[in-house]
């Protein structure tokens, strides 16, 4: 055990890269079982692949570079859990994850998204994860600074300029009085109309006979006492509805900026140029509650080390990133390769190949090496076969897992066992309207039987059939729930047959409804 600890210390592995270390393959499968029914082979394959990444990170540098992930090809009909397995796996260990559709990409020379954009998108996801974590670390300090900025806006200290001093000498707030809340007084009136609060203005407006009070107001002790009273009121939420005027940075918006994501390095360069140029400052009158949120965000942005965030995001992508490529069977070329539109699909395969093999992709946060990113591809392959992919691409997905079609027993488990089971979702949704629904065990069995029957006679869309059946079953209740008031309803087999049996029997109608 001691040797292992020394080895980990010697390799200097970042702890953020070992987040799946506490999960053994058996525990990973157990966690996936909470959300996905069946598919043991696929769960075991992804669990082992994830554990091997953790093992690799603990090796010496020279050995670590030579070990590449064993990418996985999932084969199975739609709606059996291919995407959900990959998504839950990434969420379990907090790995950067992105799901892409192979059909969205085109080969070089065609108009459309290039395959390198999937890595840039993955880097953006990773950066957002790191940014959020760093925000949490500086949250307490950012809240302190935001509080001081709010106090500066409400009552600036002598000799201290308010945040937006360039635009106006003072900020606007609704009138209030510390000593006598019933009467705003001179200070409150000045704040109300937006006049600057200065010592000269106080001297001019002070009635005769109150010189002693004027001297007291000018003392730093009095200002500090007033500021502390404001601080207490601010923390107690008594000033949430007051308004203040703050200066907010605005990023310039150009038409079609979202389209630049598919323009490769040129689009990345344009985005970076916009960030460098920055935006203008705009004054906004906001409530104290909303201004606090804006100020906390601004202060957090100042406290975050952006260079370190970018480096950490890039490292996470390279060492723990997961890319799920769906619908890969749609770019497979069936039969002999020749001319026509198949050339484009084969071209996409050729472009994906270097990314999966290991290439360097330029992103906003620096070059990303894809050699150790885990790629999981999936497809139904009901028209084409995995052997229709180009041989080089087949070789980059050495692990092939066939997922089972779902039957009546699987549907029954899906409706009852997972933490987010459909029946539990509908119970929770309707409970918000005061309507309590209870599914009897026989009714759930009947729903599972109908779903399996419809899938066998119509298109097999897997567990997604349950969504259409449940929506059809509860359509009337969902429509009337807001007007029904507190009530209790029982879903029985008779109710299921009343709402669905006729639709299931009528095949022509079932094609449109179910």
């Amino acid at each position: 055990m001691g040797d292992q600890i020394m080895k980990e210390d010697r390799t200097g592995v970042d702890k953020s890269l070992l987040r799946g270390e506490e999960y053994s393959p058996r525990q990973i499968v157990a966690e996936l079982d909470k959300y996905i029914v069946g598919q043991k082979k696929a769960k075991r394959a992804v669990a082992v692949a994830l554990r091997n990444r953790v093992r690799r990170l603990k090796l010496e540098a020279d050995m670590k570079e030579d070990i590449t992930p064993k990418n996985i090809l999932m084969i199975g009909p739609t709606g059996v859990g291919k995407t959900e397995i990959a998504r839950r796996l990434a969420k379990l260990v907090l790995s950067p994850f992105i799901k892409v559709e192979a059909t969205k990409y085109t080969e070089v020379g065609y108009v459309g998204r290039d395959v390198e954009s999937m890595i840039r998108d993955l880097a953006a996801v990773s950066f957002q994860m790191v940014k959020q974590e760093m925000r949490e670390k500086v949250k307490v300090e950012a809240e302190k600074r935001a509080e001081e900025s709010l106090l500066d806006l409400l009552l600036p200290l002598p000799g201290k300029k308010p945040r937006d001093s360039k635009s106006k000498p003072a900020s606007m707030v609704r009138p209030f009085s510390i000593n006598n809340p019933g009467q705003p007084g001179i200070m409150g009136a000045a704040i109300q109309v937006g006049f600057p609060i200065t010592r000269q203005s106080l001297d001019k407006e002070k009635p005769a006979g109150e010189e002693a009070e004027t001297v007291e107001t000018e003392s730093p002790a009095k200002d500090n006492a007033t500021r502390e009273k404001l601080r207490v009121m601010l923390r107690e939420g008594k000033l949430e509805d007051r308004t203040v005027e703050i200066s907010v940075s605005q990023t310039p918006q150009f038409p079609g900026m979202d389209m630049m994501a598919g323009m490769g390095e040129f689009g990345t360069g344009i985005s970076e140029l916009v960030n460098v140029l920055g935006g203008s400052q705009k004054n906004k009158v906001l409530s104290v509650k909303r201004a606090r949120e804006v100020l906390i965000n601004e202060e957090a942005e100042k406290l975050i080390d952006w260079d370190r965030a970018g480096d950490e995001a890039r490292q996470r992508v390279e060492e723990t990133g997961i890319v799920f490529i769906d619908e890969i069977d749609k770019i497979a070329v069936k039969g002999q390769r020749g001319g026509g539109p198949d050339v484009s699909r084969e071209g996409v395969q050729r472009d994906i190949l270097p990314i999966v093999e290991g290439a360097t992709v330029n992103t906003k946060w620096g070059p990303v090496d894809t050699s150790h990113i885990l790629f999981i591809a999936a497809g139904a392959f009901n028209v084409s076969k995995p052997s229709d992919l180009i041989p080089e691409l087949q070789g980059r997905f050495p692990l092939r897992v066939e997922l089972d079609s779902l039957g009546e027993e699987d549907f029954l488990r899906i409706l009852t066992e997972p933490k987010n089971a459909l029946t539990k979702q509908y119970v929770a949704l309707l409970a918000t309207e005061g309507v309590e629904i209870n599914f009897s065990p026989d009714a759930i069995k009947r729903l599972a039987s109908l779903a399996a029957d419809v899938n066998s006679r119509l298109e097999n869309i897997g567990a997604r059939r349950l969504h259409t059946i449940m929506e059809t079953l509860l359509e009337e209740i969902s429509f009337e729930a807001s007007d029904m008031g507190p009530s209790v309803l029982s879903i029985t087999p008779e109710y299921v047959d009343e709402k669905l049996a006729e639709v299931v029997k009528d095949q022509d109608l079932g094609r449109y409804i179910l």
Side-chain angles (χ1 to χ4, degrees), residues 317-334:
V317 170
E318 293 179 342
E319 303 293 348
T320 67
I322 299 176
V323 176
F324 184 83
I325 306 176
D326 202 6
E327 308 293 350
I328 198 169
D329 58 314
K330 303 301 187 295
I331 61 171
V333 182
K334 184 180 179 181

Side-chain angles (χ1 to χ4, degrees), residues 19-39:
R19 291 181 174 176
E21 184 181 20
E22 65 271 21
Y23 293 103
S24 67
R26 191 181 305 277
Q27 290 173 321
I28 293 173
V29 171
E31 289 293 324
L32 294 176
D33 284 340
K34 295 179 181 179
Y35 301 95
I36 304 151
V37 170
Q39 314 302 355

Side-chain angles (χ1 to χ4, degrees), residues 109-401:
Y110 286 76
V111 177
R113 299 204 74 186
D114 63 286
V115 294
E116 290 187 351
S117 63
M118 71 174 70
I119 305 301
R120 287 191 285 269
D121 293 342
L122 183 64
V125 170
S126 180
F127 181 77
Q128 289 300 321
M129 292 175 64
V130 174
K131 179 180 177 181
Q132 186 60 35
E133 292 174 10
M134 289 188 169
R135 278 182 179 275
E136 291 299 321
K137 292 179 181 178
V138 302
K139 184 178 180 180
V140 175
E141 180 62 25
E143 288 176 347
K144 290 180 181 178
R145 295 190 179 189
E147 183 180 81
E148 295 299 327
S149 297
L150 272 177
L151 291 173
D152 291 342
L153 291 170
L154 293 167
L155 183 66
L157 286 173
K160 185 171 183 178
K161 295 182 180 179
R163 285 174 52 89
D164 54 348
S165 58
K166 291 182 180 179
S167 57
K168 290 189 179 182
S171 302
M172 295 192 301
V173 290
R174 293 179 183 173
F176 66 92
S177 175
I178 299 297
N179 298 321
N180 187 1
Q183 296 180 356
I186 297 173
M187 185 181 297
I191 296 173
Q192 179 183 15
V193 297
F195 291 146
I197 303 172
T198 62
R199 297 293 170 250
Q200 291 79 2
S201 63
L202 286 174
D203 291 340
K204 289 179 181 179
E205 299 294 336
K206 209 67 176 176
E210 295 189 8
E211 293 302 325
E213 187 177 348
T214 303
V215 176
E216 185 182 359
T217 304
E218 291 179 353
S219 66
K222 180 65 175 179
D223 288 327
N224 290 334
T226 304
R227 188 179 179 89
E228 291 306 314
K229 288 180 181 179
L230 273 177
R231 190 189 305 276
V232 172
M233 295 174 68
L234 199 59
R235 292 178 178 178
E236 292 177 351
K238 295 180 179 179
L239 306 178
E240 296 296 282
D241 295 331
R242 308 282 182 185
T243 56
V244 294
E245 186 178 74
I246 63 175
S247 182
V248 181
S249 300
Q250 288 199 325
T251 304
Q253 298 293 328
F254 295 98
M257 281 296 293
D258 54 342
M259 298 176 59
M260 293 186 181
M263 298 175 62
E265 295 182 12
F266 177 73
T268 302
I270 293 294
S271 299
E272 290 177 351
L273 178 61
V274 170
N275 291 333
V276 170
L277 293 176
S280 59
Q281 298 288 323
K282 181 178 181 180
N283 290 341
K284 286 188 176 182
V285 178
L286 304 172
S287 66
V288 168
K289 181 178 180 180
R290 175 59 183 149
R292 183 187 292 107
E293 298 174 3
V294 174
L295 293 174
I296 289 175
N297 288 334
E298 286 190 4
E299 296 299 337
E301 297 275 331
K302 297 175 184 176
L303 291 169
I304 293 176
D305 184 349
W306 294 111
D307 291 336
R308 178 169 166 264
D311 293 340
E312 188 171 339
R314 189 173 68 251
Q315 186 181 19
R316 288 193 192 182
V317 170
E318 293 179 342
E319 303 293 348
T320 67
I322 299 176
V323 176
F324 184 83
I325 306 176
D326 202 6
E327 308 293 350
I328 198 169
D329 58 314
K330 303 301 187 295
I331 61 171
V333 182
K334 184 180 179 181
Q336 295 183 352
R337 296 177 175 85
D342 289 346
V343 175
S344 176
R345 291 189 290 171
E346 187 171 327
V348 175
Q349 294 184 58
R350 289 195 299 267
D351 288 348
I352 289 178
L353 180 61
I355 302 295
V356 180
E357 282 184 334
T360 301
V361 178
N362 291 322
T363 69
K364 289 173 60 177
W365 302 278
V368 172
D369 184 6
T370 67
S371 300
H372 298 101
I373 294 176
L374 176 63
F375 290 88
I376 302 176
F381 289 100
N382 48 9
V383 176
S384 58
K385 304 183 297 296
S387 57
D388 292 330
L389 296 169
I390 60 176
E392 297 86 353
L393 191 59
Q394 294 181 46
R396 296 307 300 174
F397 290 91
L399 298 182
R400 297 185 183 181
V401 182

